[in-house]
Amino acid sequence: MANYEETSSNFTHDVFLISSPNGNSKTFTDYIYQALLDSKITTVRYSSDEDITTTMEKCRISMVVLCENYAYSTKCLDELVKIIDSYDTKRKEVCVIFYKVEPSDVWFQKNCYERSLIEHEKSLGRDSETVKGWRMALSRICDLGGQHCKEDKYESGYLRKIVKDTSAKLPPPVPSEIKHPIGLDSRFEQLKSLIDIEPNNPVCMLGIYGEAGIGKTTLASYLYNKIRHQFEVASFLTNIREKSNNNNIIDLKDLQRTLLYETVKETQTVVETTFEGHSQIKDKLRHKRVLLILDDVNSIEQLKALAGGCDWFGSGSRIITTRVEIETELDKHHAIVLGNIK
């Protein structure tokens, strides 16, 4: 498994979308791009004029659309090699779409894929290491599975599934009822400057304090949805005071399980005690760059159960709580009072 320094890019987009610029998938790729944007999934498309390595590393997911003409493009084959290398060395997410081409043709390089690679071998030589690398990348991309878009099906259905599957790989958004976020942009910028989200900075814990009803949760939700794509994993745990039921051990364990599910997608997590929950959270997240929002915290026990220390999370992580009261002197050094943000 790659270490933290290799995986904790400061993401600027959710998806890096690549396809053949001259292939039969061009229109379909346009539809994918627009469908992702319409679903609030930030997406950047491949351009031959840019440094793909830099662009790809700034995106959480690489999405490859393989079509009949894909392997005729040496640029596309070069990019595929880089995507596979990033997957193997850094465990970067990859989504594969086979558009009107059989996955077996890609895997075994048959039919149009065979013809294109034979052309490359004629110009580069049958023993070319470059061509061998392309062949290996084509086989490896098929190992990852993917969506097979056939000619006899409606493309709208494929688009819905692509968006759904992509969303499942991203940190969950927080449902927001904010229709007119007047004043939130300026408050967001002030709060963002305080937490400094550069990836190599130390772990930062910050509390948002203020009277009930002043808008702490609204601001935290707005912040979370704005910056969650820049973190490796993210979770927003709402109404903790209500859900923990006066620090009931069973309820705290449920919150620990929810945190593990939202960040590492473990659906069968067994947490027998809150101490075991501590250990699992620290073990699973200490090498990941985490954005964690703990909404409506009202006791130190809740904090200990869900974010017991900076060493629980990887460098660059940000843990933000919303609370009504400042309870300790330590709180005062890690807090902003919402009413003071002008």
Side-chain angles (χ1 to χ4, degrees):
M1 181 176 179
N3 63 27
Y4 169 77
E5 286 74 20
E6 292 175 324
T7 61
S8 60
S9 298
N10 189 14
F11 300 116
T12 58
H13 292 80
D14 293 322
V15 174
F16 174 71
L17 178 61
I18 179 171
S19 65
S20 172
N22 301 312
N24 63 330
S25 66
K26 186 174 181 179
T27 300
F28 185 60
T29 303
D30 288 339
Y31 290 151
I32 294 174
Y33 178 70
Q34 192 59 53
L36 293 172
L37 293 182
D38 289 345
S39 298
K40 310 301 182 185
I41 297 173
T42 57
T43 306
V44 60
R45 300 185 66 169
Y46 164 68
S47 168
S48 59
D49 298 328
E50 63 190 341
D51 179 358
I52 180 181
T53 303
T54 300
T55 303
M56 184 175 64
E57 289 302 314
K58 294 296 184 180
C59 298
R60 181 182 297 279
I61 298 170
S62 295
M63 182 176 291
V64 184
V65 183
L66 298 169
C67 64
E68 289 181 355
N69 294 333
Y70 187 92
Y72 283 98
S73 168
T74 57
K75 285 183 177 294
C76 285
L77 291 170
D78 285 340
E79 309 323 333
L80 193 66
V81 170
K82 294 175 183 178
I83 287 171
I84 289 297
D85 180 67
S86 184
Y87 173 82
D88 287 338
T89 60
K90 304 178 183 180
R91 310 311 296 172
K92 291 290 291 292
E93 292 275 5
V94 180
C95 292
V96 187
I97 300 163
F98 300 94
Y99 182 73
K100 296 183 179 181
V101 65
E102 290 298 319
S104 60
D105 286 355
V106 181
W107 193 331
F108 296 110
Q109 288 104 62
K110 299 188 300 182
N111 298 320
C112 57
Y113 277 76
E114 179 183 29
R115 293 191 292 270
S116 61
L117 288 164
I118 287 175
E119 284 192 16
H120 296 318
E121 286 177 340
K122 287 179 180 178
S123 60
L124 297 174
R126 291 194 63 179
D127 295 325
S128 166
E129 292 300 319
T130 298
V131 177
K132 289 179 182 178
W134 291 341
R135 287 187 179 276
M136 183 173 293
L138 288 167
S139 295
R140 287 283 291 111
I141 200 73
C142 294
D143 289 339
L144 306 182
Q147 176 85 280
H148 187 192
C149 302
K150 302 179 182 180
E151 294 199 40
D152 59 345
K153 302 291 184 181
Y154 289 112
E155 293 184 349
S156 58
Y158 291 125
L159 289 171
R160 286 193 295 271
K161 190 171 190 310
I162 290 167
V163 170
K164 180 180 179 182
D165 291 348
T166 305
S167 296
K169 297 176 183 294
L170 299 172
V174 176
S176 175
E177 298 179 357
I178 305 169
K179 296 181 179 179
H180 306 288
I182 298 173
L184 280 180
D185 278 327
S186 60
R187 289 190 170 190
F188 162 73
E189 291 299 332
Q190 290 176 306
L191 183 53
K192 182 181 175 183
S193 69
L194 291 174
I195 62 174
D196 190 5
I197 55 178
E198 288 301 313
N200 296 322
N201 289 343
V203 176
C204 172
M205 292 189 175
L206 181 72
I208 302 176
Y209 295 83
E211 297 175 1
I214 201 172
K216 302 182 297 298
T217 300
T218 298
L219 179 59
S221 301
Y222 192 69
L223 173 74
Y224 176 87
N225 283 331
K226 283 276 192 177
I227 68 173
R228 64 188 174 90
H229 67 277
Q230 299 184 44
F231 291 80
E232 194 174 354
V233 295
S235 177
F236 191 115
L237 297 180
T238 60
N239 301 319
I240 289 177
R241 174 173 50 177
E242 178 182 335
K243 290 178 180 177
S244 67
N245 193 23
N246 295 320
N247 302 321
N248 181 287
I249 297 299
I250 295 176
D251 295 327
L252 287 174
K253 289 190 296 182
D254 285 342
L255 285 167
Q256 290 175 326
R257 279 190 288 266
T258 299
L259 173 56
L260 287 167
Y261 171 72
E262 291 194 350
T263 51
V264 294
K265 307 302 181 187
E266 293 195 354
T267 58
Q268 304 297 324
T269 302
V270 177
V271 178
E272 298 291 346
T273 66
T274 54
F275 180 78
E276 183 179 342
H278 299 168
S279 299
Q280 290 199 44
I281 293 169
K282 183 176 180 180
D283 181 60
K284 302 293 185 182
L285 300 182
R286 62 194 176 96
H287 293 304
K288 294 184 180 293
R289 185 165 181 254
V290 181
L291 173 63
L292 175 58
I293 309 289
L294 304 176
D295 174 50
D296 197 16
V297 172
N298 73 330
S299 77
I300 194 65
E301 286 76 16
Q302 294 160 356
L303 283 175
K304 287 180 178 178
L306 299 167
C310 290
D311 61 337
W312 285 28
F313 309 99
S315 178
S317 293
R318 296 293 179 263
I319 292 80
I320 299 171
T321 64
T322 69
R323 305 175 69 175
V324 175
E325 299 292 339
I326 298 179
E327 295 185 349
T328 68
E329 286 298 315
L330 181 62
D331 287 342
K332 296 178 181 179
H333 296 285
H334 300 274
I336 61 170
V337 180
L338 187 55
N340 291 344
I341 301 182
K342 303 298 185 186

